[in-house]
Amino acid sequence: MRSSPALIEIHGLSKHFGPFAAVDGIDLTVPGGEVLGFLGPNGAGKTTTMRMITGFLAPSAGSITIAGFDVAAAPLQARQVLGYLPEGAPLYPDMTVAGFLGFIAEVRRIDGQRRRERLDAVIDQVGLGDVLRQPIGTLSKGYKRRVGLAQAIVHEPRVLILDEPTDGLDPNQKHEVRKLIRAMARDRAIVISTHILEEVEAVCSRAVIIDRGRIIADGTPDELKARSGYHNAVVLTVPRAQAGAATEDLKDLPGVERVTRDELADGYDRYTVIPTESVSIAGAVSGLVRERGWSVRELYVLPGRLDDVFRKLTGHRQSGEAA
Amino acid sequence: MSAIWSIVRRELAGYFATPVAYVFIVVFLLLTGIFTFYLGNFFQRGQADLLAFFNFHPWLYLFLVPAIAMRLWSEEHKAGTTELLLTLPLPAYAAVIGKFLAGWIFIGIALLLTLPIWLTVNWLGSPDNGVIVAGYLGSFLMAGGFLAIGACFSGMTSNQVIAFVLSVVTCFLFIVAGVPIVLDLFTGWAPEALVSTVASLSFVSHFQGIVKGVIDLRDLVYFASMIVLWLIANGIVVELRKG
Amino acid sequence: MNRKAYALSGLALLVVLLFAINILADGLFRGARIDLTERGLYTLSDGTRKVVAGLDEPIRLRLFYSEKLATTVPDIRVYGQRVRDLLEEIASVSDGKVQLEVIDPEPFSTAEDLAVASGVRGVPVSESGDQLYFGLVGRNSTDDEVVIPFFRSDREPFLEYELTRAIYRLGHPARQIVGILTALPMEYGPGGIQGAMQGRSQPYALLDEMRDFYDVRFLDPTALARVPDDVTLLLVAHPKKFSPTTLYAIDQFVLGGGRAMIFVDPFSETELGGGGGMMPSPDRGSDLGPFTEPWGISMVTDRFVADIGSATRVGYNNSVVDYVAWLGLGEQRLNQDIPLTAGLGTINMASPGALERRDDAPMEWTPLITSSPQATLMETERIAGRPEPDKLLIGYKPEGGARVLAALLRGEVPSAFPDGPPAPEPAAEDAGPKADEAPAEATPMPAPLARSNGPVNVLVVADSDMLADRFWVRRQNFMGEQLAIPTAANASFVINALEHLSGSDELIGLRSRGFSSRPFEVVEDIRREAEGRYREEENRLQLRLQETENRIAELESKVGGTGDILPKGQAEAIESFRQELLETRRALRQVQRDLRGDIDALETRIQVLNIGLMPLLVALIAIFIGLFRISRRHAGKGIRHASQ
């Protein structure tokens, strides 16, 4: 075992279901302190990859190491340092919350005093104090998700795998869960799969986009956004009366690719100025404004949009191909 | 070992968390009572033994044990908790054995609750209690065999009804394996050795051997091999199902 | 793909393993078992081990068993396995003296011919008429042969006994001779010699059992001067009207160290009637006669032991009642301290007598069979006519405690004929000379013995009916052959006794098994007690019924014939008697109903308790736990849906 700051190391990971390659040669390293967002369209191989990381599925090829333990060779040690919230947060509906968490703690060999401490801690952390004696089956979706999170973190795992942790929750619940994830991120490696892009921006320090079993983009959310066509685009709102031919003027600026105009109801027009290859055009635009003396209501630079990047990278699927 | 017992405790708690377990026990007790007294002619026989009681166990178990076994895995498959269970730091066999043991203990509890009939024959006359102990042991072993079959089919599907039907059919075949109609299917084409071996795989002949009061090592080997091999099959089936 | 193939081949391997393990275990673990039965029914008994150990010459056993055909007959398959296991175990403890060969006589094979030629019987089992063989042929070094034509599974309790008996016979080809002296129709059956001449001979089944071990020779009780030298055991049954010379012969035989088993009877139910069997002879008893005095042992004459505690149930007047004259004597009534009677099962007796021992008797005795303490003595007259079991119950009162019905005697005794041999009776000549006695006539009479040379051994049984078939055996036709299915251990008792007397204990432990009937004693007790109570009531009511009917008839006859109107008083009297009659009849019917009432009530109670009690308890516990859970859940319900 070598000690490495990387808590998850994946090399050449593949999984074939018959002739179909669900995961096709993934390499990935996640160090402690990182919250990795796993992005991709449905069927891209997110869940399959996570199942292989947790040891539920055996890979067809490649290796996975969790905190130094090889998942294939030392599955029990690897699982011991790993917390997992499967897709849909499946739970035993007949068990009470307390019974269920107790069972998980028991299986994870948390005994005696420490068990009480840890249970109290996670119950407090995810806010389950009110429903401890209730059968899980009678709980609301939000509570169930919290129970799922609680079981995943009860043993203070160094690696946390969360498959769509906020799926199906209302905005308030999503917010709470994200807060929780951020709070836990400090020295752990957390992998979150999601197809909600705002979530990546909200909690992730790194995002990986996966499609057809392959990683097609990897970077911080900002880096990814930079790959959007809207990166460094400038939004400008001026009175329609002042700027009748503004479109033409803006288009003539250097580095401008194209300009779109939205007519707003209150007599203003909003222009979105898109640069060629994300060059900075803010200076040029503001110069033009000063030159023409437009009374500008708003003027700002767009950082780029993730969903745009996402669509751009995985757009081939829109033509109806599904897996 | 402790991991197995964690599973056993959870499964047992699962049984008793819903009324299903109690309903099962009540049905089991009612049926054993009715079979013993009405079909087994307990009083008419006038003998202080429990033959009238044990003779119906294979047929009772045929339906009741698959009913217990069907939820062992199918329920997990359906709720998706298999993924949770099998990613816990447990050896692969722990879940299979733990679930089986829980079911077996549950049947054992149901069987223990038939104690009044044993007290009854002891009050009515002086039975051969050695034979009765053997009978209970044989019945419990046979239930284990049925349960292992049921667990295996439960591991195959997320549909409890399918699991139930498949186990009942298989258990039925293992009951009637020694019956001429079944053997006739083989006698035409199969070698004699195979026919006699199929016949010797019948639950009933081994059970009846023990019920007589003799614990024959061969009967023990039979039940042990049935249980162990079906449980290994159970593990393989669950593994296969993950994809 | 690969994984799936791997898994599927794993499953296939499991099937192969299942077969392999069980086939292997079948071969390896024969005889490895724990016997949990109280009497070790499935463990080789010491008797068998001794018999096998006592073999001097090797014997060969051939088990003809159509194993393949038997796979289709579950009953035979299971029993076949049992027989085979037992034989293999016997062979394994025999030190090579018992050689076992298992042969599957397949249809149209030479093995089948061999089976048939050896006397093993086939049973057709399939539509094609294939014969299933399941029998045993044993042979010793001198080519003596013993055959068990077919093993029947309903004889399973006697399996070890039968196998060991076969081995014993092969190991001891020289047999002792039992001489029989009897006034009972043992040789030809109930029809007597006349019946035998008409082809209705039905000798006592007991003889067949005895002939398995002994040569049996009938001696003439009317003209025997001397027991032949080669006779080592004497069976005297119902010594009635024996000639003095015969009695003298018995006396001298016993004094000379010969072992005798004597069956006397205060009332024989099986002796042949005096005239053609229809008219019962008024005196149907026998006793120890001249031996009473010198031995100090006597049997109470003209009175039989009635025993409510051992009474058998007989059908009578469309109901089933206790017949106190016929006794079923179970383990509690048999001496369990000596192997002869230990664990024998049930012995049936009919109107046995009570044996008594004089305090200063020279014979020590060991009671073997006793009645229950609820026994009493009754006049034999009460059963001389048509037996009326219910009448015997009227006024039944236990008296005198348990009675001895059979006992082993041992001691040094003087001769019953201190004055030497009695003069031969001329009547004896008329009976015609018997071939058996030819040597006795030829040799000169030895000098009379006045005292025994050392202690003598005699076994006395105070009932002779127990020898008759109808009290211990049921005959059944099986595949055209008469089979005797014992219903009581009477024959085993006789064989045990002869064995005991002949000094060989080997087979005794063995025979003390089987017949493990375990009745519901509580039910029996209740029934008996209730019956006693209700019979009295019934008899009282019956008497009153009779009385009332008589009074009505009397009253009616007084006024009858005249056609006149009855005086008012008399009419009222008759009317009230009629009323009483109806009332009594109703009460009587009620009593008859009540007879089973107690038992029915008990059975219903047990049934309800057994079927209903536990389920009810479980249901209650379930409800209780359910309520507890709900209350606990509601304790923390306030913020249950807080997140929504």
Side-chain angles (χ1 to χ4, degrees):
Chain A
M1 307 282 139
R2 65 214 165 83
S3 66
S4 152
L7 289 175
I8 306 176
E9 278 184 76
I10 300 174
H11 293 292
L13 186 68
S14 296
K15 178 70 183 175
H16 301 272
F17 295 109
F20 172 68
V23 175
D24 193 5
I26 283 183
D27 293 284
L28 191 66
T29 305
V30 187
E34 191 161 274
V35 179
L36 177 77
F38 225 38
L39 293 169
N42 288 330
K46 290 175 303 200
T47 298
T48 305
T49 304
M50 292 185 136
R51 283 179 171 172
M52 286 193 283
I53 296 173
T54 57
F56 180 69
L57 286 183
S60 304
S63 71
I64 304 167
T65 311
I66 306 286
F69 299 109
D70 188 290
V71 170
L76 298 191
Q77 287 96 321
R79 289 176 194 181
Q80 188 69 33
V81 294
L82 187 135
Y84 179 35
L85 175 68
E87 190 178 3
L91 300 163
Y92 294 106
D94 290 338
M95 295 183 92
T96 63
V97 174
F100 175 67
L101 293 179
F103 163 66
I104 297 290
E106 190 181 314
V107 172
R108 293 206 175 269
R109 311 242 176 82
I110 306 170
D111 296 314
Q113 180 63 30
R114 180 146 179 269
R115 184 188 298 183
R116 269 191 299 280
E117 283 169 15
R118 281 305 303 156
L119 287 179
D120 286 347
V122 292
I123 287 162
D124 199 40
Q125 224 170 339
V126 301
L128 286 171
D130 300 329
V131 294
L132 281 181
R133 296 288 170 209
Q134 282 191 40
I136 292 170
T138 66
L139 296 179
S140 69
K141 213 166 186 177
Y143 266 118
K144 280 181 187 161
R145 199 55 58 109
R146 291 194 216 175
V147 174
L149 272 172
Q151 66 79 22
I153 61 173
V154 70
H155 54 300
E156 298 183 281
R158 298 173 66 195
V159 174
L160 199 53
I161 312 287
L162 308 173
D163 200 348
E164 303 194 350
T166 60
D167 186 41
L169 300 184
D170 68 29
N172 289 333
Q173 293 166 340
K174 282 184 180 165
H175 179 69
E176 277 177 52
V177 170
R178 285 174 193 157
K179 223 165 64 186
L180 204 65
I181 293 170
R182 273 197 302 271
M184 289 188 298
R186 201 151 304 137
D187 53 352
R188 297 191 171 91
I190 302 180
V191 178
I192 296 172
S193 88
T194 182
H195 47 249
I196 306 166
L197 298 164
E198 49 168 308
E199 193 156 294
V200 176
E201 291 177 71
V203 296
C204 296
S205 58
R206 181 178 165 198
V208 165
I209 298 177
I210 174 171
D211 185 38
R212 291 179 173 183
R214 291 196 180 144
I215 293 178
I216 52 172
D218 183 354
T220 62
D222 288 342
E223 282 167 7
L224 286 187
K225 275 189 260 180
R227 296 169 70 170
S228 160
Y230 288 93
H231 184 53
N232 281 347
V234 173
V235 176
L236 177 72
T237 309
V238 291
R240 197 173 300 136
Q242 281 186 6
T247 311
E248 304 309 316
D249 293 339
L250 288 167
K251 215 179 224 166
D252 290 342
L253 288 173
V256 171
E257 170 89 17
R258 60 194 167 91
V259 176
T260 59
R261 198 187 84 161
D262 299 308
E263 288 187 13
L264 301 179
D266 50 4
Y268 283 82
D269 278 350
R270 175 183 291 152
Y271 297 91
T272 307
V273 189
I274 297 156
T276 320
E277 287 173 1
S278 298
V279 296
S280 178
I281 53 167
V285 173
S286 62
L288 184 69
V289 168
R290 266 195 311 277
E291 185 184 313
R292 296 286 157 93
W294 290 336
S295 50
V296 175
R297 193 167 76 182
E298 51 180 5
L299 172 82
Y300 57 90
V301 180
L302 286 177
R305 296 214 305 255
L306 259 184
D307 61 344
D308 183 43
V309 179
F310 186 82
R311 259 203 311 278
K312 202 165 93 188
L313 292 173
T314 65
H316 58 87
R317 270 170 203 275
Q318 307 306 326
S319 54
E321 189 188 340
Chain B
M1 212 47 208
S2 72
I4 293 177
W5 284 114
S6 306
I7 301 277
V8 169
R9 273 200 295 276
R10 196 209 76 74
E11 289 288 330
L12 272 180
Y15 276 120
F16 288 103
T18 62
V20 177
Y22 299 97
V23 169
F24 172 85
I25 291 181
V26 167
V27 169
F28 175 80
L29 294 176
L30 282 177
L31 284 182
T32 44
I34 288 167
F35 279 15
T36 306
F37 286 98
Y38 293 100
L39 294 181
N41 292 332
F42 181 75
F43 283 113
Q44 286 83 334
R45 290 180 71 246
Q47 287 293 310
D49 59 41
L50 287 185
L51 275 185
F53 170 70
F54 286 122
N55 274 344
F56 292 101
H57 281 199
W59 302 101
L60 262 179
Y61 289 155
L62 176 59
F63 292 99
L64 293 181
V65 174
I68 296 178
M70 66 182 184
R71 59 171 291 282
L72 281 178
W73 288 96
S74 297
E75 207 173 78
E76 300 245 9
H77 289 327
K78 190 157 199 173
T81 42
T82 326
E83 205 171 335
L84 193 72
L85 181 71
L86 297 181
T87 53
L88 289 170
L90 298 169
Y93 57 82
V96 171
I97 297 177
K99 278 174 175 291
F100 169 77
L101 282 183
W104 212 15
I105 290 172
F106 180 74
I107 296 168
I109 292 171
L111 205 53
L112 272 186
L113 291 177
T114 61
L115 218 66
I117 187 80
W118 178 69
L119 296 177
T120 302
V121 285
N122 269 283
W123 182 72
L124 281 173
S126 29
D128 190 335
N129 282 316
V131 175
I132 292 177
V133 168
Y136 270 106
L137 186 73
S139 176
F140 188 56
L141 283 173
M142 183 172 62
F146 277 76
L147 185 67
I149 292 175
C152 183
F153 284 109
S154 177
M156 230 179 243
T157 168
S158 61
N159 187 328
Q160 295 199 16
V161 177
I162 291 176
F164 177 78
V165 171
L166 285 177
S167 345
V168 168
V169 169
T170 308
C171 291
F172 180 73
L173 289 180
F174 270 98
I175 287 182
V176 298
V179 172
I181 309 164
V182 178
L183 292 172
D184 282 350
L185 298 178
F186 290 89
T187 37
W189 52 274
E192 297 277 7
L194 180 68
V195 178
S196 66
T197 311
V198 166
S200 76
L201 286 183
S202 163
F203 271 117
V204 178
S205 56
H206 290 276
F207 173 61
Q208 276 169 351
I210 295 182
V211 164
K212 278 191 301 187
V214 189
I215 314 289
D216 193 303
L217 189 54
R218 285 170 295 175
D219 295 331
L220 292 185
V221 167
Y222 167 77
F223 284 118
S225 64
M226 281 296 275
I227 291 172
V228 170
L229 296 178
W230 277 101
L231 286 186
I232 294 174
N234 185 355
I236 292 176
V237 163
V238 168
E239 188 57 39
L240 258 184
R241 204 179 175 278
K242 291 199 297 195
Chain C
M1 240 359 224
N2 205 3
R3 250 165 45 85
K4 201 164 184 178
Y6 187 68
L8 287 179
S9 54
L11 289 177
L13 186 70
L14 289 181
V15 175
V16 175
L17 264 178
L18 182 66
F19 279 81
I21 289 175
N22 283 289
I23 292 171
L24 209 67
D26 202 41
L28 284 179
F29 301 136
R30 285 205 174 171
R33 58 181 164 220
I34 306 165
D35 189 346
L36 291 180
T37 56
E38 205 171 75
R39 293 189 219 155
L41 287 178
Y42 299 93
T43 311
L44 278 192
S45 68
D46 286 347
T48 302
R49 286 170 191 275
K50 269 189 210 155
V51 166
V52 171
L55 289 174
D56 296 325
E57 297 281 325
I59 60 167
R60 285 185 55 186
L61 298 180
R62 269 194 181 137
L63 175 65
F64 289 94
Y65 174 39
S66 310
E67 192 166 7
K68 279 161 206 158
L69 275 177
T71 52
T72 56
V73 192
D75 200 31
I76 292 183
R77 193 181 71 231
V78 172
Y79 191 46
Q81 192 58 49
R82 165 104 175 91
V83 171
R84 204 177 155 156
D85 287 354
L86 193 62
L87 282 169
E88 280 172 356
E89 197 155 350
I90 289 174
S92 75
V93 302
S94 73
D95 231 357
K97 295 230 195 70
V98 176
Q99 289 154 16
L100 178 68
E101 189 183 352
V102 181
I103 298 170
D104 187 344
E106 290 186 43
F108 311 113
S109 64
T110 47
E112 184 179 22
D113 297 341
L114 183 65
V116 174
S118 312
V120 170
R121 203 174 48 238
V123 175
V125 283
S126 66
E127 282 150 22
S128 55
D130 288 343
Q131 301 272 314
L132 186 149
Y133 297 89
F134 185 21
L136 182 84
V137 179
R139 200 183 281 270
N140 64 10
S141 51
T142 50
D143 275 353
D144 292 297
E145 208 176 68
V146 171
V147 180
I148 298 175
F150 197 87
F151 288 103
R152 292 190 51 197
S153 54
D154 58 352
R155 298 268 305 176
E156 178 162 10
F158 313 102
L159 175 64
E160 190 185 0
Y161 168 59
E162 285 180 349
L163 290 179
T164 310
R165 189 170 66 176
I167 293 169
Y168 181 83
R169 277 159 60 191
L170 292 171
H172 301 79
R175 291 140 69 88
Q176 300 201 35
I177 298 169
V178 178
I180 296 181
L181 281 164
T182 182
L184 297 177
M186 289 178 76
E187 199 168 5
Y188 304 110
I193 191 132
Q194 290 92 341
M197 286 188 292
Q198 293 158 16
R200 288 186 286 108
S201 168
Q202 200 180 42
Y204 278 25
L206 175 71
L207 296 176
D208 289 337
E209 301 281 323
M210 288 172 65
R211 284 192 179 107
D212 284 340
F213 301 94
Y214 304 97
D215 281 340
V216 173
R217 189 182 302 167
F218 280 91
L219 306 173
D220 182 359
T222 59
L224 182 71
R226 170 170 178 230
V227 177
D229 286 337
D230 52 354
V231 171
T232 50
L233 289 162
L234 200 56
L235 190 148
V236 180
H238 199 42
K240 185 181 157 191
K241 294 182 181 154
F242 278 18
S243 72
T245 55
T246 305
L247 292 172
Y248 175 70
I250 296 171
D251 179 65
Q252 293 296 305
F253 174 80
V254 169
L255 294 184
R259 276 85 186 267
M261 193 173 179
I262 303 175
F263 295 83
V264 287
D265 207 331
F267 182 83
S268 168
E269 303 192 19
T270 33
E271 71 168 41
L272 289 181
M278 293 313 288
M279 281 290 292
S281 141
D283 172 25
R284 291 162 72 177
S286 59
D287 55 36
L288 285 168
F291 306 108
T292 307
E293 176 56 28
W295 293 359
I297 305 293
S298 62
M299 186 197 68
V300 181
T301 51
D302 299 327
R303 301 215 286 162
F304 70 94
V305 177
D307 183 2
I308 189 84
S310 314
T312 49
R313 318 256 307 136
V314 296
Y316 179 70
N317 278 358
N318 298 326
S319 67
V320 181
V321 295
D322 279 336
Y323 187 30
V324 294
W326 285 3
L327 312 184
L329 300 145
E331 286 190 3
Q332 290 154 308
R333 310 288 162 241
L334 304 182
N335 187 331
Q336 298 295 313
D337 296 333
I338 63 171
L340 198 164
T341 39
L344 199 58
T346 300
I347 291 176
N348 288 339
M349 286 189 166
S351 58
L355 293 174
E356 288 175 351
R357 176 178 178 271
R358 213 170 58 217
D359 286 342
D360 61 343
M363 285 285 211
E364 291 301 322
W365 78 346
T366 312
L368 294 176
I369 307 176
T370 50
S371 72
S372 84
Q374 289 94 49
T376 186
L377 291 181
M378 281 189 188
E379 304 295 327
T380 50
E381 281 168 20
R382 295 183 66 175
I383 51 170
R386 198 169 105 67
E388 292 172 295
D390 53 341
K391 289 269 162 61
L392 297 181
L393 291 168
I394 302 170
Y396 183 93
K397 208 175 189 183
E399 203 173 359
R403 298 286 181 166
V404 176
L405 308 176
L408 260 177
L409 311 179
R410 183 181 165 83
E412 297 192 27
V413 290
S415 170
F417 296 85
D419 305 329
E425 280 176 81
E429 310 293 332
D430 298 341
K434 276 207 159 187
D436 287 351
E437 284 156 66
E441 278 169 22
T443 50
M445 293 289 283
L449 295 166
R451 277 199 75 80
S452 60
N453 325 315
V456 303
N457 289 292
V458 177
L459 197 152
V460 179
V461 182
D463 178 45
S464 61
D465 301 308
M466 68 170 292
L467 303 172
D469 290 2
R470 64 177 171 128
F471 290 105
W472 69 274
V473 73
R474 185 161 47 85
R475 284 184 190 273
Q476 211 176 54
N477 232 326
F478 180 72
M479 304 285 170
E481 181 160 321
Q482 285 270 314
L483 274 181
I485 314 282
T487 54
N490 292 14
S492 301
F493 171 72
V494 173
I495 306 285
N496 270 9
L498 290 171
E499 192 72 41
H500 182 91
L501 291 172
S502 69
S504 151
D505 282 343
E506 284 160 350
L507 275 169
I508 285 178
L510 198 61
R511 254 177 251 112
S512 59
R513 298 212 232 176
F515 294 118
S516 47
S517 176
R518 296 162 178 275
F520 291 149
E521 289 146 19
V522 173
V523 176
E524 293 287 294
D525 288 348
I526 293 175
R527 194 185 42 68
R528 233 173 234 128
E529 199 243 335
E531 221 165 63
R533 213 166 55 230
Y534 291 123
R535 285 291 166 213
E536 252 168 59
E537 179 72 5
E538 192 180 3
N539 282 311
R540 201 179 53 76
L541 288 172
Q542 214 123 34
L543 266 172
R544 206 171 84 194
L545 194 68
Q546 195 65 44
E547 228 167 72
T548 314
E549 272 170 354
N550 288 345
R551 301 248 294 270
I552 291 175
E554 199 180 310
L555 275 174
E556 277 178 345
S557 72
K558 268 190 200 156
V559 294
T562 61
D564 292 342
I565 297 163
L566 288 169
K568 198 172 179 230
Q570 278 189 2
E572 272 173 3
I574 287 180
E575 191 47 44
S576 84
F577 280 141
R578 284 235 165 84
Q579 212 55 49
E580 200 183 324
L581 191 72
L582 287 176
E583 193 65 25
T584 312
R585 283 210 175 114
R586 203 186 49 75
L588 200 55
R589 275 198 304 274
Q590 186 60 40
V591 163
Q592 276 161 351
R593 265 203 302 275
D594 287 350
L595 197 57
R596 259 207 73 81
D598 282 1
I599 296 170
D600 285 343
L602 176 79
E603 289 184 354
T604 308
R605 253 198 330 272
I606 286 175
Q607 216 156 302
V608 166
L609 274 179
N610 267 291
I611 297 176
L613 180 68
M614 268 296 167
L616 198 68
L617 277 179
V618 171
L620 284 178
I621 290 172
I623 289 168
F624 179 77
I625 290 177
L627 288 176
F628 176 69
R629 285 221 178 104
I630 288 170
S631 74
R632 220 163 56 153
R633 199 189 301 170
H634 279 262
K637 196 187 170 176
I639 331 168
R640 183 170 160 190
H641 297 294
S643 70
Q644 294 185 338

